Amino acid sequence: MDTIGQLHQTIERLTSPGRGILAADESYPTITKRLADHGIESTEENRRFYRSLLASTPGIGEYVGGIIFFEETLGQKNDDGVRIPEACEQNHIVPGIKVDKGLVELAGSPGDKVTQGLDNLGDRLDGYVEQGARFTKWRNVYAITDRTPSRQAIDANAEVLARYAAIAQSRGMVPIVEPEVLLDGNHDIERCAEVTEAAQTAVFDALRRHNVKLEYIILKPNMVLPGQDNPRPSVETCAEYTLQVLRRTVPAAVPSINFLSGGQTAEEATAHLNAMNQADGAKPWVLSFSYSRALQNPVQAAWKGDPANKADAQQAFLKRARLNSMARQGQYSPDMEA
Ligand code: 5MM
């Protein structure tokens, strides 16, 4: 199959009705922190057990079309000796891979960061394809303060994100494009909207400059919310602000927008997604999820690092994924939490 055929097949699978994406691609420091929050040690065996538990949850393929992994996981096997990417395929899930190499200071722009990882990216992707990965993810980060993000941070990050997306497509891998405006801070929702609009505008300008085929990307943005030190407006207000920014910035050619959760509670992230899918007005894209914490927190709380809790953890994952699938269709209500 040629690269366009591969991109087409993968995007169809990732965006099929009722489904979203699980982000289980935490790097070593991040997974160590996430597991520590539940009293679990981040050993190689615990990471293997936990991520294969996610991939092999019975029935999860009805709600989750893709899982993004960290590169360690692609080489690991589940308890039956099946490689985790293959276990995903057996469960009707497309395996994907986070390919950025994290953040560094952006020289000349104090307080801003830029994402690295373009060196040898094409060769690395060839290796990930060999291991079974069919899509990729790259995350940019924009912190809101009085001085950040600067114009050069917005432009530099957009440029690397577009170069990554072009390289991924050249290998037949669907790129998830993730420009994350962080929730940290005491800014209001207007400021989040302004920064998100500026970041996404620059990203789509750069994607065009680099001839990225918008039909074969997934946008993974933050929702538009006030900084976490401020009270949250209503779920409907956040949904309206987010939709307004998306309508201004995201071409209709983009098939799917899969939000990150960014530190919201599991229930908040589901309610916000549901409100967007229920809202009136133009929405030419699928609106779905690509959560990490908002899907995994309840799973880690149920697992507690004890193999005996595997079935409970899988039930927690199935519940959260099903509720987000309902929200993706605008059919969730908070009483379903019970
Ligand atoms: C923003 O982080 C992404 C989505 O997670 P949330 O839904 O929890 O906001 C997530 O995919 C993130 O990129 C990974 O956890 C990897 O993070 P690090 O910092 O380890 O690269």
Side-chain angles (χ1 to χ4, degrees):
M1 201 185 302
D2 64 5
T3 54
I4 291 292
Q6 289 162 354
L7 292 169
H8 189 78
Q9 187 178 72
T10 301
I11 204 87
E12 290 276 302
R13 294 179 70 194
L14 290 175
T15 61
S16 62
R19 306 207 295 173
I21 294 170
L22 165 68
D25 60 328
E26 300 85 356
S27 57
Y28 295 119
T30 308
I31 191 67
T32 300
K33 189 165 168 291
R34 299 275 184 267
L35 294 180
D37 288 344
H38 300 277
I40 306 166
E41 198 186 345
S42 176
T43 60
E44 183 179 346
E45 169 55 16
N46 273 344
R47 294 191 297 273
R48 182 202 67 81
F49 181 90
Y50 173 65
R51 285 167 169 157
S52 50
L53 169 164
L54 295 168
S56 58
T57 295
I60 198 68
E62 190 177 340
Y63 312 119
V64 171
I67 302 182
I68 317 167
F69 290 115
F70 183 61
E71 59 183 349
E72 175 191 53
T73 315
L74 292 187
Q76 291 177 322
K77 293 180 176 167
N78 69 12
D79 289 344
D80 298 327
V82 178
R83 290 176 50 257
I84 292 176
E86 199 181 322
C88 284
E89 294 286 1
Q90 289 173 357
N91 219 0
H92 312 290
I93 294 166
V94 189
I97 174 79
K98 182 256 289 297
V99 301
D100 67 70
K101 291 285 184 185
L103 309 174
V104 289
E105 304 289 327
L106 179 61
S109 189
D112 279 316
K113 310 255 198 233
V114 67
T115 306
Q116 58 183 350
L118 288 176
D119 288 353
N120 302 322
L121 180 57
D123 292 343
R124 283 202 287 131
L125 295 189
D126 291 341
Y128 297 144
V129 170
E130 284 278 304
Q131 291 181 291
R134 295 290 174 264
F135 71 101
T136 59
K137 195 206 84 175
W138 177 291
R139 171 174 170 247
N140 286 350
V141 171
Y142 310 83
I144 299 185
T145 66
D146 292 347
R147 298 180 48 182
T148 64
S150 64
R151 185 71 252 167
Q152 61 267 42
I154 286 173
D155 290 343
N157 274 293
E159 185 71 11
V160 293
L161 196 52
R163 287 189 60 201
Y164 139 77
I167 295 167
Q169 288 190 340
S170 77
R171 264 45 186 197
M173 299 180 91
V174 167
I176 295 187
V177 167
E178 180 179 2
E180 178 183 11
V181 177
L182 295 175
L183 198 57
D184 309 74
N186 61 3
H187 51 273
D188 60 19
I189 194 168
E190 302 279 354
R191 172 92 171 117
C192 180
E194 174 189 70
V195 172
T196 305
E197 184 173 337
Q200 288 180 181
T201 299
V203 165
F204 281 99
D205 285 350
L207 290 171
R208 279 199 192 88
R209 256 194 328 276
H210 286 271
N211 301 316
V212 173
K213 295 167 190 69
L214 297 183
E215 291 78 5
Y216 304 119
I217 72 162
I218 289 177
L219 178 69
K220 175 167 173 170
N222 53 286
M223 296 182 193
V224 176
L225 304 169
Q228 65 186 5
D229 301 342
N230 279 333
R232 290 269 156 79
S234 69
V235 164
E236 290 73 22
T237 302
C238 296
E240 268 316 312
Y241 270 92
T242 306
L243 283 171
Q244 183 179 56
V245 169
L246 294 174
R247 287 183 188 120
R248 289 178 178 178
T249 55
V250 186
V254 174
S256 188
I257 296 173
N258 291 53
F259 293 97
L260 59 91
S261 57
Q264 301 175 64
T265 66
E267 293 80 6
E268 276 177 323
T270 308
H272 283 137
L273 177 62
N274 187 62
M276 282 184 261
N277 277 307
Q278 283 187 343
D280 293 331
K283 287 173 284 182
W285 343 264
V286 168
L287 293 171
S288 186
F289 57 91
S290 176
Y291 302 151
S292 166
R293 283 163 288 181
L295 280 169
Q296 293 189 68
N297 265 340
V299 188
Q300 291 162 359
W303 174 45
K304 301 186 188 77
D306 184 347
N309 295 329
K310 178 177 172 180
D312 287 348
Q314 290 183 326
Q315 275 309 311
F317 182 32
L318 201 61
K319 173 184 171 184
R320 211 63 247 155
R322 185 175 57 78
L323 293 177
N324 281 299
S325 171
M326 300 298 284
R328 179 211 191 283
Q329 300 164 81
Q331 293 170 6
Y332 164 84
S333 79
D335 55 22
M336 293 174 180
E337 294 289 345

